Amino acid sequence: MHTRLDNQGSTLGIMTSVQNIGSFLALPIAPVVSDMLGRKKGIFVGGIFMLGGVALQCQSVNITQFILARGMIGFGLCISINAAPLLITELAYPTQRGPITAIYNTN
């Protein structure tokens, strides 16, 4: 199914930026999830949100579903991105924490 989006710049803009908006909305929640559930489960919860967003995005039949799906992906991404460096830092040997965290943050 093909949807024409000619001359609808605002729709294209929101489709692009809603992932960042979803990440912004998850900012106050992400540290709480990591602290309450732990780092591994926090990454898992973020992954579940992202998988749900990907599934919704794949089966979306209109622009509203597509935009909602991208927001869910951004929400889960923020939760995972918040928990991952903490888990890496906790699992690394003390002598390797600095370089490993720096390598993670260069991505």
Side-chain angles (χ1 to χ4, degrees):
M1 181 155 120
H2 188 304
T3 304
R4 292 188 55 103
L5 294 174
D6 297 335
N7 298 324
Q8 294 183 0
S10 61
T11 303
L12 291 174
I14 194 71
M15 286 171 59
T16 303
S17 64
V18 74
Q19 188 171 352
N20 293 331
I21 294 169
S23 293
F24 181 73
L25 293 175
L27 278 175
I29 299 166
V32 175
V33 170
S34 295
D35 286 342
M36 289 179 64
L37 299 177
R39 311 305 185 236
K40 289 181 186 177
K41 290 181 183 174
I43 294 171
F44 182 76
V45 167
I48 293 296
F49 271 103
M50 287 187 282
L51 284 174
V54 168
L56 182 60
Q57 185 173 348
C58 288
Q59 65 89 29
S60 63
V61 293
N62 57 26
I63 294 170
T64 306
Q65 285 181 342
F66 186 80
I67 290 172
L68 179 65
R70 287 191 51 87
M72 285 178 62
I73 292 169
F75 191 86
L77 185 65
C78 182
I79 293 172
S80 294
I81 286 176
N82 182 26
L86 299 172
L87 181 65
I88 290 171
T89 304
E90 290 172 356
L91 295 177
Y93 289 112
T95 57
Q96 298 173 344
R97 284 185 185 149
I100 289 176
T101 306
I103 289 170
Y104 176 84
N105 289 328
T106 59
N107 237 346

